[in-house]
Amino acid sequence: MGFRARVYAVVRQVPEGRVVTYGDVAAAIGSPRAARQVGWALAALSDPTVPWQRVINAQGRISGRGEVGRAVLQEQLLVQEGVGFDDSGRCDLKALRYPLQPPELYGDDAF
DNA sequence: GGCTTGACTAATG
DNA sequence: TCATTAGCCAAGC
């Protein structure tokens, strides 16, 4: 199972209205220092069942690289789910962060 | 196999 | 709070 498949398996655990950071996802798949690769994996994402919008950076902000307009869409999707952002584009990470479990515990054989 | 490229992070000023 | 820096590691050439 590839790195990206594990990233997707973990991200799918995140329920509506909750968020996780790239670092959280990296730690859940066993590579605590691979936050950048998590972002890379999501940039290459083609699976519509993965709630990629719930993955934000450790500062509670949207990482606006990648496709133009993607960041705006991401914030809109999160707001729809009930995630609140302040005037500076930050959300309450402390309250909304979701505790992830390693994909092994969930049976990710679908990959 | 070596090099470059990042949806990152933590530390520092 | 913002800007800069060094470390990180999977992918693609």
Side-chain angles (χ1 to χ4, degrees), chain A residues 61-73:
Chain A
R61 319 180 77 164
I62 306 296
S63 292
R65 302 190 188 181
E67 262 183 277
V68 178
R70 188 200 62 76
V72 177
L73 170 63

Side-chain angles (χ1 to χ4, degrees), chain A residues 82-102:
Chain A
V83 176
F85 286 84
D86 64 17
D87 296 334
S88 303
R90 279 176 292 216
C91 70
D92 191 347
L93 196 55
K94 193 170 185 178
L96 300 173
R97 193 179 218 166
Y98 182 75
L100 291 171
Q101 299 298 141

Side-chain angles (χ1 to χ4, degrees), chain A residues 39-90:
Chain A
W40 178 88
L42 293 180
L45 180 65
S46 60
D47 188 337
T49 69
V50 178
W52 57 270
Q53 71 274 22
R54 295 174 195 151
V55 185
I56 59 180
N57 64 28
Q59 302 165 26
R61 319 180 77 164
I62 306 296
S63 292
R65 302 190 188 181
E67 262 183 277
V68 178
R70 188 200 62 76
V72 177
L73 170 63
Q74 181 168 9
E75 182 171 333
Q76 289 178 340
L77 288 172
L78 289 176
V79 169
Q80 278 181 12
E81 299 182 355
V83 176
F85 286 84
D86 64 17
D87 296 334
S88 303
R90 279 176 292 216

